[in-house]
Amino acid sequence: MNLPDLNKARIRTDKKVEFKNNSYNFPKAFEGKKFFLKTYGCQMNVHDSEEIRKYLELLGFSETKELTMADIVVLNTCAIRENAHDKVFGYLGRCKHLKHENPDLLICLGGCMSQEESVVNEIKNKHPYVDIIFGTHNINELPKLILEAKHKQDIEVYSIEGDVYENVLYSRDSKITAWVNIMYGCDKFCTYCIVPYTRGKQRSRKLSDILTEVEELKQNNYQEVTLLGQNVNAYGKDLEEPETFANLLEKVAQTGIPRVRFVTSHPWDFTSEMIDVIAKYDNIMPYIHLPIQSGSDRILKLMGRRYTKEEYLRLFNEIKEKIKNVSITTDIIVGFPNETEEDFLETLDIVKKCQFDGAFTFIYSPREGTPASLIKDNVSLKEKESRLARLNELVNQYSLANNRKLEGKLVPVLILGISEKDKNKLYGYTDTMKLVNVSGDKSLIGQIVNVKILAAKSFSLDGVSE
Ligand code: 5AD
Ligand code: SF4
């Protein structure tokens, strides 16, 4: 296994760390003990938690979904907006209370918040009951930290990323769909975004390593892989022998795995070649998440997004023309510092023009250390909230209208399991990534079946298997 070169990394703690875990032969020191793992944030964190879970299982822990039953709690945190912070600190309060009752409880904090110096300081000063703080670059050190835990706060966070390391083991959430990292970090440095600081610079995995992982998943009967990166279109640019995402996507499709997806795309690196590959292969799903962030050229420039509204529209239209039946979703931020009503109307305008299948909408949240956080803002929170509500109304209208177009149609759905809300129903996703609650037999779980859509809502569909 290639290990990260930690000598390259600046170690934030005063202790010199040697990387020792170069094998997976950890002692099963915690047999009979239980872990509780809570994940916040994006798919990258969800996938990192699959790695964390594997380490905990290798140490002998078994999972509990009840916080109060846990011998060890691991919080895998998100830093993208302030409310993500608030949630974690709220949850830490509950953990503190439990630790009072059970002083042997180990509390570990990992993920993007750990990469923020101010958060680490706050935990050091105000939350001494947190035993272990580990970062996004050294998840693989968690077993060592747990084995050596002394119930005295231990902080191991590297502020600079190491190399990509391979042969990572995962305890995956699903036996049907799998995440596959194709790259780590991001070099785009959008001015509002903390990700390049918490996840480091872009590091692509080698194409051959990715294909090996996909082949193995296919052999294990996985029906779907989602290629994962902060900005997948920039895949391969940083490799010694540069690669393109279009080529990777084509090679992954050629493995014959039934469904291939990818997230997230940045409009800047989205090439016509990529669109052609997606259009060519039936097993590359016709679904693209294409964050626009704003419809105002002035704001896009301030955000450092490197495209104009017109350029986004041109790309959007090319995708719609070439990829039959494609669905496109987006991310939008309202209330970027000093966003005017005119700027906001431009955002509403692009939503009207694109009629997105869905949109994740956010109020801008200043992140410490990012360039945008230094801009003095004259827009009130009340105004921002009102813009968000106006935007959501429009966005939901188009989601519903797009979903309604499927009523009465037969669509392919990968059935993933039993619906949480209605235990008599199954749930799954269409090729276009729409959630469907399906009436059908449990034996369909894990299969791609044709489903007749009976009714559409804004965020889901109801259907029956044919
Ligand atoms: N404030 C609000 N939203 C943000 N996002 C990223 N950074 C911020 C921020 N500081 C949103 C963007 C991105 C999504 C994952 O989160 O829309 O695409
Ligand atoms: Fe953040 Fe921009 Fe990178 Fe996306 S592309 S992770 S918004 S810096």
Side-chain angles (χ1 to χ4, degrees), residues 267-423:
W268 171 253
D269 296 303
F270 215 112
T271 60
S272 297
E273 201 190 350
M274 269 182 65
I275 302 173
D276 294 338
V277 170
I278 300 166
K280 182 170 160 195
Y281 289 89
D282 285 345
N283 61 342
I284 303 179
M285 295 298 97
Y287 165 67
I288 293 166
H289 185 61
L290 195 65
I292 176 144
Q293 313 298 3
S294 169
S296 152
D297 287 346
R298 191 182 76 85
I299 297 290
L300 285 171
K301 197 156 187 203
L302 287 171
M303 287 177 161
R305 290 292 288 181
R306 311 186 209 190
Y307 54 82
T308 62
K309 182 182 174 193
E310 267 325 295
E311 283 164 340
Y312 183 95
L313 263 179
R314 218 176 300 138
L315 173 65
F316 183 94
N317 290 333
E318 187 183 346
I319 293 171
K320 281 273 179 189
E321 274 159 29
K322 286 186 176 166
I323 306 171
K324 151 174 113 290
N325 185 34
V326 71
S327 80
I328 302 180
T329 56
T330 198
D331 289 344
I332 300 170
I333 298 175
V334 300
F336 188 80
N338 307 319
E339 180 191 65
T340 62
E341 175 68 13
E342 288 69 40
D343 291 320
F344 177 64
L345 289 176
E346 291 287 340
T347 296
L348 292 186
D349 182 60
I350 192 124
V351 170
K352 284 180 196 150
K353 290 203 164 86
C354 294
Q355 308 194 0
F356 295 106
D357 286 86
F360 299 97
T361 56
F362 313 101
I363 291 182
Y364 166 76
S365 171
R367 309 315 296 135
E368 201 185 317
T370 60
S373 70
L374 303 174
I375 308 174
K376 202 168 169 311
D377 191 3
N378 63 14
V379 187
S380 70
L381 181 61
K382 198 160 162 258
E383 178 57 37
K384 294 183 189 210
E385 283 169 347
S386 147
R387 286 181 194 164
L388 183 71
R390 287 159 68 197
L391 174 64
N392 283 343
E393 203 184 309
L394 193 64
V395 158
N396 294 347
Q397 194 182 307
Y398 290 119
S399 300
L400 183 61
N402 283 312
N403 283 352
R404 285 227 167 109
K405 288 183 201 154
L406 293 176
E407 279 177 345
K409 294 232 166 87
L410 212 54
V411 292
V413 175
L414 173 56
I415 307 288
L416 295 180
I418 292 169
S419 163
E420 285 271 321
K421 281 198 192 133
D422 180 350
K423 300 280 178 224

Side-chain angles (χ1 to χ4, degrees), residues 92 196 455:
L92 275 181

Side-chain angles (χ1 to χ4, degrees), residues 224-253:
E224 178 177 296
V225 292
T226 302
L227 308 179
L228 201 54
Q230 303 296 347
N231 177 17
V232 291
N233 329 45
Y235 168 77
K237 291 187 172 183
D238 55 299
L239 287 171
E240 243 165 65
E241 288 171 36
E243 259 301 340
T244 64
F245 184 62
N247 188 40
L248 170 72
L249 200 53
E250 179 148 37
K251 293 276 170 9
V252 171

Side-chain angles (χ1 to χ4, degrees), residues 12 112 115-116 136-137 158-161 186 189-201 367-371:
R12 201 189 276 155
C112 288
Q115 295 296 137
E116 292 180 274
T136 57
H137 304 313
Y158 301 85
S159 54
I160 296 176
E161 64 290 316
C186 180
F189 288 94
C190 302
T191 58
Y192 52 82
C193 186
I194 201 169
V195 168
Y197 309 93
T198 59
R199 292 274 171 180
K201 70 173 163 53
R367 309 315 296 135
E368 201 185 317
T370 60

Side-chain angles (χ1 to χ4, degrees), residues 16 44 68 72 82 101 153 208 227 241 248 405:
K16 176 92 182 127
M44 195 61 79
T68 52
I72 182 170
E82 195 56 36
E101 290 166 11
Q153 198 166 78
S208 55
L227 308 179
E241 288 171 36
L248 170 72
K405 288 183 201 154

